Amino acid sequence: MGLHNSHHKPCPTHLQSPINIHTRTAKYDPSLKPLKFSYDPKTAKRIVNVGHCFNVEFEDTCDRSVLGEGPLTGYYRLCQFHFHWGSSDKDGSEHNIDGKLYPAELHIVHWNSKKYTSFEEAAQHSDGVAVVGVFLKLGDTNPVLESIIQNLDRVKTKGKTCPFTEFDLTDLLPKDLNYWTYMGSLTTKPYFECVTWIILQEAITVSSEQLEQFRRLQCTSENENPSFILENHRPVQPLDHRVVRSSCP
Ligand SMILES: NS(=O)(=O)c1c(F)c(F)c(-n2cc(CC3CCCCC3)nn2)c(F)c1F
Ligand SMILES: [Zn+2]
């Protein structure tokens, strides 16, 4: 659906992600509920180097690990999490907060298993996917991140996988679960506009050395000349007429 202007030519509105979150313009919505994470550590399955990043994949053939409440209707099934980072600690996050970039951003991807039968199907619908974004700020070594990073040398090249089980993803979340939420898209191809974005307001820590480990992943397969995933964050996109809501005043 396009907006109409004085020339009566529809101009398409885009619902692309990431965006810059202007905190003073975000609107407190008292009807927003607290986020409810119900993750079963046994659903953690494996780590995969997908070329532009690495995914930590979960068993998503049933609703054993779900995200509920918050801005969502019903619950969404956890399928994977991954990170975005930059070629230096100066940038790397996809979303910005009042123009501030963080050195990295965690995305926890869920899909609407009440209405759809797979992630691929859900991604074709505006209420299909819910991604929780968590900023990583420079600080002390994060021991929970370390338990993931110590496996990265087993998935160094594109297409490689390694088992990764018994992982409690709630250990990676900050204490404060207040969030901003808006309707947007996947930030990589095919950029489908199917995502309810839920961006946590509190960051978790990552050390510079841990970020360096991300940059040692290769986007090439093992029989190619190696090149590295130095950065994988998309530039911010126009907000257009979207409103960002906040779970707290
Ligand atoms: N940054 S993000 O917005 O959190 C983000 C995601 F949420 C994703 F789900 C993917 N994603 C892309 C595909 C291919 C599918 C192939 C079948 C059709 C749907 C896409 N698998 N997962 C993704 F790459 C990504 F970057
Ligand atoms: Zn992402």
Side-chain angles (χ1 to χ4, degrees), residues 17 50 52-53 55 79-80 82 84 94 106-110 119-121 123-124 129-132 185-192 194-195 197:
S17 296
V50 292
H52 57 270
C53 75
N55 290 349
C79 61
Q80 54 108 327
H82 61 271
H84 299 266
E94 296 211 302
L106 159 65
H107 288 160
I108 311 171
V109 185
H110 313 74
F119 171 81
E120 284 69 21
E121 183 199 354
Q124 321 288 332
V129 176
V131 182
V132 174
S185 74
L186 303 180
T187 66
T188 64
K189 276 195 289 297
Y191 304 114
F192 288 161
C194 60
V195 184
W197 278 97

Side-chain angles (χ1 to χ4, degrees), residues 29-229:
D29 180 346
S31 76
L32 286 173
K33 301 189 185 96
L35 291 168
K36 195 159 170 288
F37 294 93
S38 320
Y39 293 155
D40 176 350
K42 291 198 174 351
T43 55
K45 220 164 53 180
R46 62 182 195 161
I47 300 176
V48 186
N49 179 329
V50 292
H52 57 270
C53 75
F54 65 95
N55 290 349
V56 178
E57 295 183 347
F58 288 74
E59 177 66 47
D60 71 343
T61 50
C62 69
D63 286 326
R64 281 171 63 191
S65 290
V66 295
L67 169 66
E69 311 270 305
L72 303 171
T73 304
Y75 48 79
Y76 284 57
R77 189 181 293 176
L78 171 66
C79 61
Q80 54 108 327
F81 69 83
H82 61 271
F83 298 85
H84 299 266
W85 59 86
S87 50
S88 79
D89 297 351
K90 285 196 296 298
D91 66 4
S93 63
E94 296 211 302
H95 292 86
N96 298 189
I97 302 299
D98 295 329
K100 175 186 164 58
L101 281 157
Y102 286 84
E105 186 174 331
L106 159 65
H107 288 160
I108 311 171
V109 185
H110 313 74
W111 55 274
N112 187 338
S113 56
K114 246 171 38 145
K115 286 182 70 174
Y116 310 112
T117 58
S118 70
F119 171 81
E120 284 69 21
E121 183 199 354
Q124 321 288 332
H125 303 271
S126 60
D127 63 351
V129 176
V131 182
V132 174
V134 187
F135 293 111
L136 277 65
K137 67 182 178 188
L138 271 194
D140 299 337
T141 299
N142 185 318
V144 182
L145 271 183
E146 201 50 35
S147 70
I148 299 164
I149 289 170
Q150 67 192 22
N151 291 280
L152 293 187
D153 56 5
R154 296 159 70 192
V155 294
K156 204 183 281 300
T157 51
K158 182 177 179 182
K160 291 206 78 171
T161 71
C162 78
F164 188 73
T165 57
E166 284 302 323
F167 179 73
D168 186 350
L169 181 44
T170 53
D171 291 340
L172 207 45
L173 299 174
K175 279 184 310 305
D176 180 352
L177 295 178
N178 274 301
Y179 59 90
W180 294 288
T181 183
Y182 78 97
M183 297 308 290
S185 74
L186 303 180
T187 66
T188 64
K189 276 195 289 297
Y191 304 114
F192 288 161
E193 296 179 345
C194 60
V195 184
T196 300
W197 278 97
I198 300 165
I199 308 290
L200 298 192
Q201 297 179 3
E202 185 182 338
I204 60 173
T205 63
V206 64
S207 70
S208 218
E209 294 72 21
Q210 289 182 308
L211 288 168
E212 275 164 25
Q213 296 299 323
F214 284 177
R215 300 186 197 104
R216 291 159 57 96
L217 284 165
Q218 295 177 23
C219 50
T220 43
S221 52
E222 59 188 340
N223 47 28
E224 291 176 298
N225 289 338
S227 62
F228 297 87
I229 311 176

